[in-house]
């Protein structure tokens, strides 16, 4: 499962599928996926690899510790640019470390959030917190000492001369982020990959207003063919997934294979039906996973 290059009480560095990554071992999702599988969000990265070319420009909103940004950096090369927004103080430290470890010097890290409201606040996360450190959600409410105030930007603030992809993962505020890029989306018409776990109707209505076509892009939590060849599932549901939307301007003639098109703004993601044989395998896998805790 990958031998650590560096290890202390809360931080590990391992050679993973797309580079050397530092991560918080107390992070129950991204940290544990890198630790146990050497990869995270492979479905999202695989799609990005098909639409990005050397020299492309990408905006990564909700960059977290940099899994996506480092990957984009390697695909687009030295002539390309990535702008990575991350408001969390702790996550930003890991982001900077991972950009440096992987010589991702074509990435511009920006410590801040993207949104229409000001000011914005984020719950404080500490390296000792055993939780999902990627599930932090900004709010315009100052609830006291347990929050940090975030710098807030608009997508249009970057003033790019072109843009190929915008990736957004901001825990339900994805539509709000899109509203900050009026010039960007009307002029450059980039592809978008956005998480769609919460406020789905708002997000899909926003894409409709932008004249974009949308497709469901599920990103499985557990990939049995993972980089570390670890067959044990650390998640309660081995078939669970993060639900994203892949959106593109309607005027672009693009062939989309293996993704379900979203035909109405009230649509809800429905996973494929599980066969009896698959259900039996899932039950067995879940029982086996409970016996072994993540290291």
């Amino acid at each position: 499962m990958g031998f650590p290059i560096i290890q202390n009480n809360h931080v590990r560095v391992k050679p993973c599928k797309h580079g050397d990554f530092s991560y918080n071992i107390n992070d129950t999702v991204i940290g544990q996926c890198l630790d146990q599988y050497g990869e995270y969000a492979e479905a999202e990265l695989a799609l990005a690899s098909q639409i990005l070319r050397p020299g492309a420009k990408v905006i990564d909103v909700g960059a977290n510790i940099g899994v996506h940004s480092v990957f984009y950096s390697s695909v687009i090369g030295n002539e390309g640019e990535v702008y990575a927004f991350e408001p969390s103080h702790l996550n930003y430290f890991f982001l900077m470390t991972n950009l440096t470890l992987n010589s991702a010097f074509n990435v511009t890290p920006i410590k801040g959030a993207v949104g229409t409201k000001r000011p914005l606040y984020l719950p404080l996360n500490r390296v000792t917190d055993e939780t999902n450190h990627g599930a932090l959600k900004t709010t315009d409410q100052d609830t006291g000492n347990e929050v940090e105030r975030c710098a807030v930007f608009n997508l249009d603030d970057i003033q790019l001369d072109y843009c190929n992809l915008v990736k957004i993962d901001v825990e339900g505020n994805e539509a709000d982020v899109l509203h900050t890029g009026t010039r960007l989306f009307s002029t450059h018409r980039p592809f978008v990959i956005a998480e769609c776990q919460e406020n789905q109707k708002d997000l899909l209505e926003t894409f409709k207003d932008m004249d974009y076509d949308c497709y469901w892009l599920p990103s499985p939590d557990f990939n049995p063919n993972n980089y570390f060849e670890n067959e044990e599932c650390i998640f309660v549901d081995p078939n669970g997934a993060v639900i994203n939307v892949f959106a593109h301007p309607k005027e672009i003639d693009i062939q989309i294979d293996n993704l379900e098109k979203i035909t109405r703004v009230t649509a809800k993601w429905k996973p494929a039906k599980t066969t009896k044989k698959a259900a039996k395998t899932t039950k067995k896998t879940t029982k086996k996973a409970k016996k072994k805790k993540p290291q």
Side-chain angles (χ1 to χ4, degrees):
M1 290 189 290
F3 187 79
I5 301 172
I6 297 173
Q7 178 171 332
N8 61 31
N9 290 337
H10 308 295
V11 179
R12 284 182 190 156
V13 178
K14 279 188 179 182
C16 297
K17 184 174 183 178
H18 301 296
D20 295 337
F21 280 92
S22 67
Y23 52 89
N24 182 359
I25 62 173
N26 294 314
D27 181 0
T28 57
V29 179
I30 297 179
Q32 281 300 313
C33 281
L34 292 176
D35 194 60
Q36 298 293 313
Y37 307 128
E39 61 180 51
Y40 176 73
E42 280 299 298
E44 299 167 45
L45 303 186
L47 178 59
S49 70
Q50 297 179 53
I51 60 179
L52 293 177
R53 298 291 182 269
K57 294 187 180 182
V58 182
I59 302 175
D60 185 356
V61 183
N64 201 271
I65 68 171
V67 171
H68 292 74
S69 289
V70 168
F71 179 79
Y72 300 150
S73 169
S74 66
V75 172
I76 65 178
N78 293 332
E79 299 303 314
E81 299 174 7
V82 180
Y83 295 84
F85 290 88
E86 176 52 47
S88 163
H89 187 71
L90 177 62
N91 293 349
Y92 188 77
F93 268 97
F94 282 100
L95 170 64
M96 292 291 291
T97 301
N98 289 327
L99 295 179
T100 305
L101 284 173
N102 293 283
S103 298
F105 301 122
N106 56 352
V107 179
T108 300
I110 303 166
K111 189 177 185 299
V114 177
T116 61
K117 298 178 181 179
R118 288 167 174 74
L120 286 177
Y121 302 89
L122 194 71
L124 282 174
N125 59 324
R126 301 174 178 84
V127 73
T128 54
D129 294 340
E130 188 172 341
T131 187
N132 178 4
H133 288 261
L136 302 174
K137 185 174 183 177
T138 56
T139 175
D140 57 356
Q141 301 297 315
D142 182 357
T143 57
N145 295 330
E146 293 300 306
V147 297
E148 56 181 305
R149 183 167 174 168
C150 310
V152 186
F153 300 88
N154 293 332
L155 290 177
D156 284 341
D157 290 338
I158 311 176
Q159 299 184 359
L160 296 178
D161 53 348
Y162 65 91
C163 182
N164 304 92
L165 172 66
V166 178
K167 168 258 180 183
I168 312 172
D169 180 357
V170 289
E171 304 304 305
N173 292 327
E174 286 78 13
D176 188 61
V177 170
L178 293 174
H179 291 312
T180 74
T182 303
R183 176 183 173 276
L184 175 77
F185 291 110
S186 63
T187 304
H188 303 309
R189 309 292 280 166
F191 295 113
V192 182
I193 296 176
E195 187 176 281
C196 195
Q197 298 279 99
E198 306 175 53
N199 302 325
Q200 292 184 343
K201 185 178 179 182
D202 288 345
L203 180 61
L204 296 177
E205 284 181 338
T206 302
F207 279 128
K208 182 180 180 181
D209 292 341
M210 293 164 54
D211 207 24
Y212 271 56
D213 280 335
C214 296
Y215 297 78
W216 294 119
L217 175 60
S219 185
D221 296 328
F222 173 60
N223 172 20
N225 299 313
N226 58 78
Y227 184 64
F228 287 163
E229 300 181 345
N230 181 0
E231 298 179 357
E232 304 292 342
C233 179
I234 64 175
F235 299 97
V236 174
D237 181 5
N239 297 312
V242 174
I243 308 306
N244 303 279
V245 166
F246 169 64
H248 70 81
K250 287 186 176 181
E251 67 271 16
I252 294 180
D253 184 15
I254 181 174
Q255 182 177 343
I256 307 294
D257 296 324
N258 303 319
L259 295 182
E260 178 187 349
K261 188 172 184 179
I262 303 173
T263 57
R264 62 186 190 279
V265 297
T266 56
K268 300 290 184 181
W269 163 254
K270 294 181 180 179
K273 292 182 179 179
T274 305
T275 63
K276 290 183 178 180
K277 182 178 180 181
K280 185 176 180 181
T281 303
T282 299
K283 185 176 180 181
K284 182 178 179 181
T285 305
T286 305
K287 184 177 180 181
K288 187 176 182 182
K290 288 181 179 179
K291 293 181 180 179
K292 183 173 181 180
K293 296 181 179 180
Q295 296 178 350

